[in-house]
């Protein structure tokens, strides 16, 4: 069964550094998403992406964040200058109908 | 804006017990409703969904009915197993049955523990 994959599973970075989280969506899916879950809190929507551009974004998705689909298979989330409060589990999802989620990347900012 | 409220966990039950996890929502319009499950170390998996009032979603013995009058989508199972131990998330979407541009709005999740 096709699945969404994410790498790395765990990323540790220092405050102020740039990080790129990577996702490979299911191949025939058209919509792509990033969500985050801060420990003990809700899963929160960050951004949706369709036809090579952002469709919707939440107020969390500020200028520090960007998304890209560089090569037709990968879908990346970049955080330009990480802050302590960016520490969270980041989930990628893709959809052609329902959303299918990856296993997540745990980002720890020290 | 949209919001989802679900019962706080952890919920601990014995095997073969009846399960109810409550979920209520606030939304403009007519959202689609979902239950996702997260097993340890894995991503969120769609368990079931309902896209209009009075629809019943079902899968793997779990059921939930879209109740517009009470804005609820409670998850039920008649006889739980140890393998059902996981975190369960209620969610809604304004979009086309969960796809489309709109992100899902999630509840905080309910950790279910089933003891043998």
């Amino acid at each position: 069964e096709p699945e969404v994959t994410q790498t790395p599973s765990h990323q540790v970075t220092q405050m102020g550094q740039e990080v790129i989280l990577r996702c490979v969506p299911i191949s025939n899916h058209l919509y792509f998403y990033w969500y985050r879950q801060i420990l003990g809190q809700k899963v929160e929507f960050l951004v949706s992406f369709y036809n090579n551009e952002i469709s919707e974004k939440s107020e969390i998705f500020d200028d520090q964040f960007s998304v890209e689909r560089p090569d037709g298979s990968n879908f990346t989330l970049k955080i330009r200058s990480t802050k302590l409060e960016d520490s969270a589990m980041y989930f990628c999802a893709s959809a052609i109908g329902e959303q299918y989620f990856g296993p997540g990347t745990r980002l720890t900012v020290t | 804006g949209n919001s989802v409220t679900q019962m706080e966990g952890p919920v601990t039950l014995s095997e073969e017990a009846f399960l109810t996890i409550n979920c209520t929502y606030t939304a403009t319009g007519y959202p689609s409703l979902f239950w996702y499950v997260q097993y340890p170390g894995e991503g969120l998996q769609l368990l079931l969904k309902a896209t209009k009032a009075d629809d019943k979603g079902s899968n793997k013995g779990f059921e939930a009915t879209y109740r517009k009058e009470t804005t609820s989508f409670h998850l039920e199972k008649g006889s739980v197993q140890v393998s059902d131990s996981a975190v369960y998330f209620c969610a809604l979407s304004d979009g086309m049955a969960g796809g489309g541009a709109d992100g899902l709005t999630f509840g905080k999740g309910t950790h279910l523990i089933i003891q043998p």
Side-chain angles (χ1 to χ4, degrees):
Chain A
E1 185 176 328
E3 59 183 17
V4 177
T5 59
Q6 291 185 242
T7 54
S9 57
H10 190 192
Q11 172 91 46
V12 181
T13 190
Q14 290 189 326
M15 197 166 50
Q17 295 296 305
E18 174 184 286
V19 293
I20 298 175
L21 309 183
R22 302 180 192 279
C23 168
V24 178
I26 295 172
S27 61
N28 63 333
H29 284 189
L30 301 176
Y31 285 90
F32 313 107
Y33 312 82
W34 284 101
Y35 293 81
R36 78 172 185 191
Q37 185 180 29
I38 295 171
L39 189 63
Q41 297 187 25
K42 296 185 180 188
V43 177
E44 300 171 291
F45 168 70
L46 294 178
V47 65
S48 62
F49 191 87
Y50 172 76
N51 203 26
N52 285 318
E53 60 183 26
I54 290 173
S55 297
E56 296 284 342
K57 59 182 182 178
S58 71
E59 56 194 26
I60 302 168
F61 193 88
D62 61 21
D63 291 345
Q64 291 297 311
F65 292 90
S66 61
V67 290
E68 195 176 37
R69 191 157 158 80
D71 56 12
S73 61
N74 289 285
F75 179 51
T76 62
L77 175 69
K78 182 193 289 187
I79 309 174
R80 286 191 184 80
S81 177
T82 50
K83 303 187 280 284
L84 293 176
E85 53 265 38
D86 293 327
S87 295
M89 182 73 87
Y90 288 81
F91 293 104
C92 173
S94 68
I96 196 164
E98 300 97 7
Q99 293 185 31
Y100 289 79
F101 283 76
T105 292
R106 180 167 298 284
L107 177 65
T108 302
V109 182
T110 61
Chain B
N2 296 340
S3 68
V4 174
T5 303
Q6 57 182 111
M7 58 193 297
E8 297 285 328
V11 172
T12 303
L13 296 172
S14 297
E15 206 165 20
E16 299 184 3
F18 184 86
L19 168 71
T20 301
I21 301 178
N22 289 336
C23 171
T24 56
Y25 67 90
T26 303
T28 53
Y30 302 96
S32 296
L33 302 173
F34 307 86
W35 278 100
Y36 279 82
V37 58
Q38 185 179 31
Y39 298 103
E42 299 184 15
L44 298 162
Q45 300 176 24
L46 179 64
L47 181 60
L48 53 84
K49 68 174 184 180
T51 57
K52 61 183 189 297
D54 301 324
D55 266 4
K56 179 186 283 188
S58 62
N59 186 24
K60 299 181 182 180
F62 290 90
E63 292 183 341
T65 301
Y66 189 143
R67 301 283 189 205
K68 185 169 178 292
E69 64 276 14
T70 55
T71 62
S72 65
F73 193 55
H74 304 321
L75 183 68
E76 297 182 335
K77 187 175 185 182
S79 176
V80 292
Q81 306 300 312
V82 172
S83 57
D84 294 326
S85 298
V87 181
Y88 291 81
F89 294 90
C90 186
L92 70 81
S93 170
D94 284 331
M96 18 186 262
D102 297 301
L104 294 169
T105 300
F106 283 90
K108 286 190 75 169
T110 302
H111 187 193
L112 176 66
I113 300 168
I114 308 299
Q115 297 177 333

